Amino acid sequence: MRTTRGGTAAVAALAAVAMPMATVVQTAPVSAARGDSMPGHLPYAETDAATLTTVPAGFAVGQPCRVRVAMLPDLMRLLEDEAAAGLGETLHAVSCFRSVAHQRAVFCRTAAGCADVQRRAVTVGPPGRSEHATGYAIDFAVRPARGCADVSDCIAETAAGRWLLANAPAYGFELSFPAGNAQGVAYEPWHWRWAGTSQDEPGAAEARATLAEARMHYPARPEEAGFALHATARAEPPGTVATPDL
């Protein structure tokens, strides 16, 4: 990998957080001190492929969406109810499960990303420190986009985005990075993790164990999402909106 001057140490630091994350099933909470962050991103092991299922066609934008098997029933209920709300927009997925290797490619997409790990980590989880590796996280997108690019906070101004922020907790989803979150991560109204509607829901106990550190120290609070309920969807501009390869 080519590095810029002074970037060697940063790349070494990135490798240090990524290398221990082997492809194993995460069945217990990750033990990490609150100060073990980059910044605020906690370590997560990559789940085994056997724990994942592919969401039916039509939901994913670009690459197929794979999520934990236990999460699928709540996700499908959420999508069905949002579609039935007649908002003129529908929710899709721009990114679901991502392997540690995929996350490394996303994080190091630019030379600057690898050269300044701390700065890059404000907007992208470092490899080995992304909820996407658990199979419990989804980056939602809205179609038609109406000028709001994917993984942009303007999703909170769309009809479907406002519906998601108001209703997703009823389906077991939590907003990982609300506005002004204590983790120091940029506001991400599109990024949600699944923990089930209750501890007794099938698969929820394992999800909550996997996400225990984040849920204890950085609880999701959708009411802090920083969106306006009265905001209207953006007008459709000329041209199309490009979907990032996340």
Side-chain angles (χ1 to χ4, degrees):
M1 179 187 301
R2 210 173 123 204
T3 62
T4 58
R5 183 175 179 182
T8 304
V11 175
L14 176 60
V17 301
M19 287 179 61
M21 292 298 161
T23 306
V24 296
V25 180
Q26 179 69 20
T27 57
V30 176
S31 177
R34 292 185 65 175
D36 183 16
S37 59
M38 189 181 283
H41 291 285
L42 299 170
Y44 293 102
E46 180 181 318
T47 190
D48 190 270
T51 69
L52 301 169
T53 186
T54 301
V55 178
F59 175 53
V61 174
Q63 300 179 7
C65 172
R66 291 191 294 161
V67 300
R68 289 284 190 127
V69 173
M71 172 179 163
L72 188 60
D74 277 342
L75 175 60
M76 296 308 296
R77 285 195 308 111
L78 181 152
L79 296 176
E80 290 167 3
D81 290 350
E82 186 273 332
L87 303 174
E89 300 170 349
T90 53
L91 292 168
H92 295 266
V94 67
S95 191
C96 301
F97 165 76
R98 293 203 296 251
S99 67
V100 171
H102 186 175
Q103 191 69 26
R104 184 180 296 109
V106 171
F107 193 86
C108 292
R109 181 172 295 158
T110 65
C114 280
D116 192 342
V117 175
Q118 288 287 339
R119 184 172 182 178
R120 178 66 166 159
V122 172
T123 55
V124 181
R129 292 174 179 263
S130 171
E131 290 180 349
H132 285 285
T134 69
Y136 292 122
I138 291 183
D139 287 344
F140 284 95
V142 172
R143 292 294 184 272
R146 295 193 173 97
C148 180
D150 295 335
V151 296
S152 298
D153 58 13
C154 56
I155 189 175
E157 300 174 11
T158 67
R162 294 197 305 273
W163 187 96
L164 182 67
L165 286 160
N167 295 283
Y171 302 87
F173 287 87
E174 301 176 341
L175 185 66
S176 297
F177 308 114
N181 62 81
Q183 290 174 262
V185 177
Y187 171 41
E188 295 190 359
W190 62 85
H191 179 106
W192 293 76
R193 65 192 182 214
W194 180 82
T197 55
S198 75
Q199 179 77 14
D200 297 329
E201 182 178 356
E206 182 177 349
R208 293 180 181 207
T210 300
L211 301 165
E213 194 76 16
R215 298 183 81 233
M216 177 183 298
H217 298 307
Y218 309 114
R221 297 184 178 92
E223 68 273 15
E224 296 179 3
F227 70 98
L229 288 174
H230 63 273
T232 56
R234 300 183 175 219
E236 186 77 55
T240 57
V241 176
T243 301
D245 177 20
L246 296 178

